[in-house]
């Protein structure tokens, strides 16, 4: 501990002492403010308690004063526990049907065990995933930017063909609770008055239906991910994904060939010049610049939509090594650029508008001339297809 504890320790050695281990959000500042405001030393000192001020000190004191079996969490006092997965760790074990350990012919499997409080204090932050569904496809670029600004990483993306809804799967520490705060309350009046920067306030509904759906608990997020992304996500594996049986490193199962890839267009007799443009954003354009929490891809999508382009399909996927030859043939890219796509997430979006092909070329030229300073040097050569 610190040098200031010396006099407190000498005093506490002469009287009975109570040791308490508490857990809360912002626990250090809340506990210090509470104790300083309510406890005063009878012998004129500023305090009659010793409190850890860092996670390291908290763990040292807790492990010194308590055994693991003496610590129990009060789930009633943890209302936000619904947004978190259960504490778990895994060990490799071979277990028979009777529950006894064998070293013989049974296959090895992962067994997940609850983690004790002391061990959980040493555990690093856990990346969680959550689902956001919105009908505001016309604001795709702006919503994508807001998600990035709140330090989420998009690990899954698709447009449902039955309802034309845009589905994001985002990943971050404490993702379920953070995404609920970003979306805001369901009451539009409450969102507009008290949560002015929430998505529901920024993109209000013009009808009685809600434009946004978000997973409200950890259990809901697991079910939603399996519902909207049964093939898996584009991210690294985590203990929680493995425990819930959610696949990672999603690869599009269809080979990238023109004969096997198709989608249904939406002709409009009032707009005979409608054209579609398929844009592939390379992995390097999905990375954040060092000086700003925004990727070049989110800026490009917003720019393209501001030029009256409509998003009619979108998907986040990985391309395997055996798909690269078809990929190069289809998009006519050189070998060095194609290798930057291998086993890394890339974003594919289909845009639509009148004279899309010619207009899109002009947009790219204008973006190249005016926005290069926002793109890191190593990403400028990547371009997009």
């Amino acid at each position: 501990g610190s040098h200031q504890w010396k006099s407190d320790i000498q005093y506490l050695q002469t009287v009975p002492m109570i040791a308490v281990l508490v857990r809360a959000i912002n626990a250090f500042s809340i506990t210090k403010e509470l104790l300083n405001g309510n406890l005063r030393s009878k012998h004129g000192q500023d305090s009659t308690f010793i409190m850890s001020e860092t996670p390291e000190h908290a763990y040292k004191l807790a492990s010194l004063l308590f055994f693991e079996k003496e610590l129990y969490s009060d789930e009633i006092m943890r209302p936000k526990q619904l947004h978190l997965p259960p504490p778990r760790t895994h060990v490799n074990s071979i277990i028979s049907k009777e529950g006894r350990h064998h070293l013989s012919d049974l296959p090895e499997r992962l067994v997940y065990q609850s983690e004790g409080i002391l061990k959980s204090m040493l555990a690093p932050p856990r990346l969680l995933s959550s689902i956001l569904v919105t009908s505001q496809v016309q604001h795709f670029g702006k919503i994508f930017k807001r998600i990035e600004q709140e330090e989420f990483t998009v690990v899954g993306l698709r447009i449902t063909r039955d309802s034309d809804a845009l589905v994001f799967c985002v990943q971050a520490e404490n993702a379920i609770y953070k995404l609920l705060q970003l979306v805001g309350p369901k009451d539009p009046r409450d969102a507009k008055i008290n949560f002015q920067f929430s998505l529901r306030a920024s993109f209000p509904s013009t009808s009685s239906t809600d434009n946004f759906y978000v997973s409200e608990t950890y259990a809901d997020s697991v079910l939603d991910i399996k519902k909207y992304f049964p093939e898996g996500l584009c991210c690294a594996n985590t203990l929680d994904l493995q425990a819930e049986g959610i696949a990672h490193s999603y690869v599009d199962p269809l080979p990238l060939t023109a004969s096997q890839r198709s989608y249904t267009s939406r002709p409009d007799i009032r707009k005979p010049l409608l054209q579609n443009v398929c844009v592939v954003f390379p992995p390097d354009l999905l990375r954040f610049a060092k000086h700003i929490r925004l990727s070049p891809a989110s800026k490009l999508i917003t720019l393209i939509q501001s030029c009256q382009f409509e998003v009619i399909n979108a998907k986040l996927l990985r391309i395997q090594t055996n798909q690269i030859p078809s990929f190069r043939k289809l998009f006519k890219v050189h070998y060095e650029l194609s290798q930057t796509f291998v086993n890394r997430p890339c974003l594919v979006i289909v845009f639509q508008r009148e004279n899309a092909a010619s207009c899109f070329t002009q947009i790219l030229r204008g973006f190249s001339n005016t926005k290069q300073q926002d793109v890191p040097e190593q990403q400028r050569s990547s371009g997009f297809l």
Side-chain angles (χ1 to χ4, degrees):
S2 64
H3 180 71
Q4 289 82 356
W5 287 6
K6 184 176 181 180
S7 58
D8 289 334
I9 292 176
Q10 292 174 347
Y11 171 70
L12 290 172
Q13 286 177 333
T14 63
V15 295
M17 181 182 67
I18 298 176
V20 180
L21 181 63
V22 298
R23 178 166 58 181
I25 299 175
N26 297 325
F28 296 103
S29 59
I30 293 175
T31 305
K32 188 173 183 179
E33 181 180 354
L34 177 66
L35 295 179
N36 282 330
N38 291 277
L39 297 178
R40 291 290 181 268
S41 174
K42 294 181 179 180
H43 60 288
Q45 293 185 349
D46 293 335
S47 64
T48 55
F49 62 88
I50 299 174
M51 190 195 96
S52 55
E53 297 185 357
T54 66
E56 292 79 9
H57 288 165
Y59 175 76
K60 289 179 180 179
L61 277 177
S63 58
L64 178 66
L65 299 174
F66 298 98
F67 292 106
E68 184 70 72
K69 295 181 179 180
E70 296 177 317
L71 301 176
Y72 300 92
S73 61
D74 186 357
E75 302 301 327
I76 298 177
M77 299 301 296
R78 303 184 68 191
K80 293 184 174 59
Q81 184 66 22
L82 292 174
H83 305 139
L84 300 173
R88 52 165 68 105
T89 184
H90 73 272
V91 295
N92 289 328
S93 182
I94 303 175
I95 302 179
S96 68
K97 293 181 180 180
E98 294 79 15
R100 295 191 299 269
H101 291 260
H102 280 266
L103 300 176
S104 56
D105 53 354
L106 291 178
E108 189 175 22
R109 64 176 181 176
L110 289 176
V111 179
Y112 296 91
Q113 299 179 334
S114 295
E115 195 172 45
I117 291 179
L118 289 178
K119 289 185 178 180
S120 67
M121 296 174 68
L122 296 176
R126 296 158 73 173
L127 289 176
L128 305 180
S129 301
S130 188
I131 291 292
L132 169 65
V133 184
T134 177
S135 60
Q136 300 278 11
V137 182
Q138 69 273 23
H139 297 302
F140 176 29
K142 294 179 180 179
I143 295 174
F144 195 90
K145 288 177 66 175
R146 290 290 303 277
I147 289 173
E148 289 189 339
Q149 287 171 340
E150 296 299 323
E151 300 186 354
F152 289 100
T153 300
V154 177
V155 295
L157 179 65
R158 59 170 296 196
I159 292 182
T160 59
R161 304 318 302 165
D162 52 347
S163 59
D164 289 337
L166 186 61
V167 184
F168 290 93
C169 182
V170 298
Q171 192 177 73
E173 297 174 13
N174 198 18
I176 292 92
Y177 180 73
K178 284 181 60 179
L179 192 58
L180 284 168
Q181 298 300 302
L182 174 61
V183 173
K186 294 181 179 180
D187 184 358
R189 180 178 176 83
D190 185 19
K192 186 176 181 180
I193 296 176
N194 300 318
F195 299 86
Q196 300 177 5
F197 299 103
S198 66
L199 292 180
R200 284 194 173 106
S202 301
F203 308 102
S205 174
T206 57
S207 62
S208 58
T209 59
D210 189 4
N211 285 337
F212 293 93
Y213 165 81
V214 61
S215 305
E216 296 189 358
T217 66
Y218 174 76
D220 290 340
S221 71
V222 173
L223 295 176
D224 290 338
I225 291 172
K226 293 182 177 180
K227 173 184 176 181
Y228 289 108
F229 299 95
E231 308 91 349
L233 305 175
C234 291
C235 62
N237 195 17
T238 67
L239 178 62
D240 295 306
L241 291 179
Q242 191 174 2
E244 303 297 349
I246 299 174
H248 66 100
S249 300
Y250 166 62
V251 177
D252 195 324
L254 293 177
L256 289 167
T257 59
S259 60
Q260 294 178 317
R261 180 74 65 184
S262 63
Y263 63 92
T264 303
S265 182
R266 302 176 185 176
D268 189 341
I269 59 175
R270 297 169 298 177
K271 298 180 180 180
L273 299 179
L274 277 180
Q275 294 178 334
N276 298 328
V277 176
C278 181
V279 183
V280 182
F281 295 86
D284 285 339
L285 289 187
L286 299 178
R287 295 166 53 191
F288 300 124
K290 293 182 179 180
H291 62 286
I292 187 171
R293 184 72 187 185
L294 283 176
S295 67
S298 65
K299 298 182 181 181
L300 281 166
I301 296 169
T302 305
L303 174 65
I304 294 169
Q305 284 195 289
S306 68
C307 297
Q308 312 306 317
F309 279 85
E310 177 187 359
V311 176
I312 62 173
N313 210 336
K315 180 181 286 189
L316 189 72
L317 51 85
R318 291 173 185 257
I319 300 176
Q320 288 181 317
T321 304
N322 60 355
Q323 295 175 333
I324 288 297
S326 299
F327 176 77
R328 291 183 61 196
K329 182 179 179 181
L330 183 61
F331 289 99
K332 298 179 175 58
V333 298
H334 57 79
Y335 177 80
E336 289 76 12
L337 177 58
S338 66
Q339 292 304 302
T340 64
F341 286 81
V342 178
N343 293 326
R344 299 174 63 197
C346 60
L347 178 60
V348 182
I349 303 179
V350 179
F351 294 98
Q352 184 182 77
R353 66 156 283 177
E354 291 183 312
N355 298 317
S358 59
C359 293
F360 199 78
T361 303
Q362 296 299 323
I363 291 174
L364 298 189
R365 191 170 297 144
F367 180 83
S368 274
N369 294 334
T370 60
K371 298 292 184 180
Q372 286 292 332
Q373 64 271 19
D374 293 333
V375 183
E377 185 64 33
Q378 66 272 22
Q379 296 176 8
R380 294 180 188 175
S381 58
S382 299
F384 55 100
L385 313 173

